[in-house]
């Protein structure tokens, strides 16, 4: 999960919100289509929660408009969040087509559960780390609960940890190809900048890549030296 920088809302949504009786449920098709495209471009065509590419594949709903603060919360409080662009995210189908909630993720799994983790609030993402198996976690117990119990982002049913692990392994392969020996600090710095600055599309599962590269850059800065290689010249791309 990475921070999403919200931009300007589409003019059609602003116009629609000013109409009498406007509601998310009754939103015009044309307004919703422009809204979807704006959200997708803003997020680099990645799901705001699991970070898989969206649209995913043919035959499944390409994208869902998610409301971080539920538009129909269980407490029925209406703060206008249904038409608030700052409250909207683009998310994947969450595997809702499987028909079994245990195999669902993201918005499809969450329902109306309140969340503390917010992709638009970088402060809630700072404690997020990953394991060598590609599992996402947080040092904040409440956010860790969001990631696992409420969003099911470590679902084995759709191989989310394995897919993150594969994305990281591809990074390791690229490092090994370009730097069989020597200092990789400059590579890590440039790669980190490239991934961060990518506009649309972004790299799938970019969160784990940014986390690993940031960690390596931080270690370099703290130690004053860069040691990423095992004995006998083998590269040490450990988690």
């Amino acid at each position: 999960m990475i921070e999403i920088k919200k931009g300007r809302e589409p003019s059609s949504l602003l116009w629609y919100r000013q109409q009498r009786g406007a509601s998310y449920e009754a939103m015009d098709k044309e307004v919703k289509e422009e809204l979807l495209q704006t959200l997708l471009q803003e997020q680099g065509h990645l799901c705001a929660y699991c970070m898989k590419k969206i649209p995913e594949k043919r035959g499944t709903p390409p994208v869902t408009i998610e409301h971080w603060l539920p538009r129909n919360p269980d407490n029925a409080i209406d703060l206008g969040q249904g038409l608030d662009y700052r409250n909207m995210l683009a998310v994947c189908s969450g595997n809702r087509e499987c028909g079994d909630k245990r195999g669902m993720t993201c918005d499809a799994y969450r329902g109306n559960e309140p969340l503390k983790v917010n992709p638009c609030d970088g402060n809630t993402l700072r404690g997020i780390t990953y394991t060598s198996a590609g599992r996402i976690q947080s040092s904040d117990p409440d956010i860790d609960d969001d990631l696992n119990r409420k969003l099911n982002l470590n679902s084995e049913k759709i191989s989310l940890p394995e897919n993150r692990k594969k994305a990281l392994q591809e990074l390791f392969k690229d490092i090994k190809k370009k730097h069989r020996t020597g200092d990789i600090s400059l590579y890590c710095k440039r790669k980190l900048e490239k991934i961060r600055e990518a506009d649309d599309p972004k790299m799938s599962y970019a969160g784990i890549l940014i986390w690993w590269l940031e960690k390596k850059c931080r270690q370099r800065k703290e130690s004053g030296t860069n040691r990423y290689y095992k004995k006998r010249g083998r590269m040490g791309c450990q988690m």
Side-chain angles (χ1 to χ4, degrees):
M1 199 178 292
I2 60 176
E3 185 175 3
I4 295 170
K5 304 290 188 180
K6 298 298 289 183
R8 181 179 297 179
E9 67 180 326
S11 57
S12 59
L13 176 62
L14 175 60
W15 170 84
Y16 177 72
R17 193 170 54 244
Q18 296 171 343
Q19 306 309 302
R20 179 176 297 180
S23 69
Y24 179 81
E25 290 76 9
M27 186 183 293
D28 297 339
K29 179 181 178 181
E30 293 77 12
V31 176
K32 184 170 289 188
E33 286 179 349
E34 183 179 1
L35 174 57
L36 280 170
Q37 288 306 310
T38 302
L39 290 170
L40 284 170
Q41 291 172 9
E42 187 172 73
Q43 296 174 204
H45 279 76
L46 296 184
C47 173
Y49 293 140
C50 73
M51 302 209 69
K52 69 168 58 173
K53 181 181 178 181
I54 47 177
E56 302 160 71
K57 56 185 179 180
R58 294 180 180 178
T60 62
V63 60
T64 298
I65 296 178
E66 155 78 327
H67 291 78
W68 182 80
L69 180 63
R71 70 178 189 273
N72 294 311
D74 295 337
N75 59 16
I77 293 179
D78 185 354
L79 303 173
Q81 65 267 31
L83 293 175
D84 185 351
Y85 182 69
R86 295 168 300 178
N87 190 46
M88 296 179 184
L89 302 166
V91 298
C92 66
S93 69
N95 201 32
R96 55 170 41 90
E97 66 275 6
C98 75
D100 182 353
K101 187 175 180 180
R102 293 173 295 180
M104 298 180 191
T105 65
C106 306
D107 174 55
Y109 190 87
R110 171 202 178 187
N112 280 339
E113 287 251 38
L115 295 174
K116 180 176 179 180
V117 67
N118 184 350
C120 297
D121 183 355
N123 291 325
T124 70
L125 310 180
R126 288 178 182 168
I128 291 179
T129 60
Y130 299 83
T131 70
S132 59
R135 295 181 65 84
I136 188 172
Q137 58 191 14
S138 176
S139 57
D140 183 318
D142 292 333
I143 291 179
D144 194 68
D145 185 61
D146 285 350
L147 301 176
N148 286 279
R149 186 182 66 81
K150 297 181 180 179
L151 293 170
N152 200 25
L153 295 187
N154 284 314
S155 172
E156 300 288 353
K157 291 279 188 180
I158 57 173
S159 305
L160 282 179
E162 182 63 24
N163 289 338
R164 294 188 198 104
K165 182 179 178 180
K166 287 180 180 178
L168 192 62
Q169 288 173 338
E170 287 300 314
L171 174 64
F172 293 165
K173 288 180 182 178
D174 191 53
I175 294 175
K176 188 173 183 179
K177 179 180 178 181
K178 297 177 180 178
H179 295 274
R180 297 191 66 84
T181 60
D183 189 346
I184 65 169
S185 60
L186 183 58
Y187 169 93
C188 289
K189 181 180 179 181
R190 289 177 174 174
K191 190 70 172 180
L192 179 59
E193 291 174 351
K194 182 177 180 180
I195 295 175
R196 280 176 172 169
E197 294 172 2
D199 188 11
D200 181 29
K202 296 181 183 294
M203 295 179 66
S204 298
Y205 308 106
I208 191 171
L209 306 180
I210 291 174
W211 169 79
W212 189 86
L213 290 166
E214 283 181 339
K215 185 174 71 168
K216 293 304 174 185
C217 290
R218 186 166 59 249
Q219 289 174 350
R220 168 68 173 174
K221 184 177 181 180
E222 291 173 352
S223 66
T225 186
N226 217 353
R227 300 173 185 264
Y228 296 102
Y229 299 89
K230 295 181 178 178
K231 293 180 180 179
R232 300 178 183 177
R234 292 197 307 165
M235 188 183 72
C237 289
Q238 300 96 346
M239 293 291 288

